[in-house]
């Protein structure tokens, strides 16, 4: 009986939050998304590095704050702002993007599917910001991806990749694809595993409804290339093992 009373008491608060999410927060965030995309598109003509990173970072934080998502980060001492890395993280939900963009505090580019460039305004802003679009359907497309990455990954600018490729449907971490590790091997960059906890509870792939909560980013120590560079298979295995070790 006591549990039933708790459930009944919680229902109005959930209802009120859904009303707030869709009638207040969603319109504000839509406007902020449009403004951020336009600002990034125009600002990158003046200073590509600054305008490609800071307005989207603020936009991502607004998503978290307005929807009641707190992000905590541990392990920032493991990375150096002047070093370029390949960050690899598990992919629990849509808020992985907002939490990393808003709270990693390290300049980076996303590695994303080429088709995302077709999203109105946002896709163009991503292209202007220099995010790396992946096209693996042909040898030419893969070479273009590598060439684009080579132009971006320098002077502390890093790469963030979700090696699973897409958000989990079950809450469990899926298999890793090799693309991120190939780039790390190609450019002899250290790989930094990031464990994301809490994002699946906040907004799993199965819904557009947000549940306020806490997301934790755990930044692990870099995996440095050896004298002969990285072994791609071993690098993938180690990264997955490290990320898994901190999953709750």
């Amino acid at each position: 009986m006591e549990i039933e009373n708790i459930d009944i008491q919680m229902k109005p608060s959930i209802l009120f939050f859904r009303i707030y999410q869709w009638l207040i927060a969603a319109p504000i965030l839509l406007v902020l998304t449009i403004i951020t995309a336009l600002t990034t598109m125009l600002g990158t003509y003046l200073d590509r590095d600054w305008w490609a990173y800071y307005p989207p970072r603020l936009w991502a934080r607004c998503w978290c704050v307005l929807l009641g998502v707190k992000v905590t980060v541990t392990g920032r001492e493991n990375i150096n702002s002047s070093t370029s890395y390949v960050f690899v993280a598990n992919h629990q939900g849509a808020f992985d993007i907002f939490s990393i963009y808003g709270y990693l505090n390290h300049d980076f580019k996303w590695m994303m599917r080429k088709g995302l460039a077709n999203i109105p305004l946002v896709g163009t802003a991503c292209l202007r910001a220099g995010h790396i679009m992946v096209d693996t359907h042909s040898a030419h497309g893969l070479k273009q991806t590598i060439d684009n990455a080579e132009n971006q990954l320098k002077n502390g600018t890093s790469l963030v990749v979700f090696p699973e490729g897409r958000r989990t449907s079950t809450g469990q971490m899926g298999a890793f694809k090799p693309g991120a590790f190939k780039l790390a091997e190609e450019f002899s960059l250290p790989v930094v595993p990031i464990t994301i906890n809490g994002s699946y509870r906040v907004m799993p792939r199965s819904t557009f409804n947000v549940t306020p909560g806490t997301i934790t980013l755990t930044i692990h120590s870099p995996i440095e290339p050896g004298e002969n560079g990285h072994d791609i298979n071993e690098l993938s295995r180690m990264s997955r093992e490290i990320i898994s070790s901190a999953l709750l």
Side-chain angles (χ1 to χ4, degrees):
M1 180 65 70
E2 188 174 334
I3 294 175
E4 290 178 359
N5 288 337
I6 291 174
D7 288 340
I8 291 172
Q9 291 172 5
M10 288 185 67
K11 285 180 181 178
S13 64
I14 294 172
L15 176 61
F16 290 142
F17 183 79
R18 291 286 168 260
I19 293 171
Y20 162 77
Q21 177 187 341
W22 292 108
L23 298 185
I24 299 176
I28 292 173
L29 290 169
L30 175 61
V31 172
L32 284 176
T33 299
I34 294 171
I35 291 172
T36 302
L38 291 172
T39 300
T40 301
M41 289 163 56
L42 296 174
T44 49
Y45 285 101
L46 301 174
D47 184 333
R48 188 168 191 173
D49 292 337
W50 196 94
W51 290 95
Y53 177 64
Y54 285 100
R57 178 189 177 197
L58 177 60
W59 165 80
R61 290 192 174 200
C62 288
W63 271 82
C64 293
V65 170
L66 288 175
L67 291 172
V69 178
K70 180 182 178 181
V71 180
T72 62
V73 182
T74 62
R76 277 207 188 99
E77 68 277 4
N78 291 324
I79 57 176
N80 188 314
S81 61
S82 62
T83 301
S84 295
Y85 303 99
V86 175
F87 292 98
V88 293
N90 58 308
H91 204 1
Q92 291 194 337
F95 271 78
D96 298 339
I97 295 169
F98 305 129
S99 57
I100 288 179
Y101 224 155
Y103 297 91
L104 182 60
N105 292 0
H106 188 97
D107 187 18
F108 69 88
K109 306 299 181 185
W110 291 106
M111 184 173 175
M112 58 180 63
R113 296 193 307 274
K114 187 177 180 180
L116 295 176
N118 297 323
I119 300 174
L121 287 180
V122 173
T124 304
C126 287
L127 290 171
R128 284 294 313 155
H131 296 301
I132 298 164
M133 304 296 173
V134 182
D135 178 9
T136 58
H137 292 93
S138 66
H140 174 75
L142 183 58
K143 182 180 183 303
Q144 187 65 50
T145 298
I146 292 174
D147 290 344
N148 290 342
E150 187 174 16
N151 291 332
Q152 299 295 340
L153 303 182
K154 57 185 69 173
N155 302 323
T157 299
S158 297
L159 180 68
V160 174
V161 188
F162 298 118
E164 293 165 273
R166 59 180 61 197
R167 293 168 288 166
T168 176
S169 299
T170 63
Q172 303 300 312
M173 187 165 55
F176 280 8
K177 297 180 180 179
F181 308 106
K182 287 181 178 178
L183 288 177
E185 191 275 335
E186 177 76 22
F187 306 126
S188 294
L189 292 175
V191 171
V192 178
I194 298 177
T195 303
I196 301 175
N197 281 299
S199 180
Y200 185 76
R201 290 188 294 273
V202 167
M203 186 178 166
R205 188 177 176 183
S206 59
T207 182
F208 290 108
N209 289 325
V210 175
T211 299
T214 299
I215 294 173
T216 301
L217 306 180
T218 303
I219 303 172
H220 299 278
S221 297
I223 304 172
E224 301 286 349
E227 290 184 5
N228 298 318
H230 287 296
D231 178 292
I232 294 174
N233 292 331
E234 178 65 10
L235 182 59
S236 177
R237 185 197 65 78
M238 287 180 61
S239 298
R240 195 177 190 282
E241 187 176 279
I242 291 169
I243 291 171
S244 180
S245 70
L247 280 174
L248 300 179

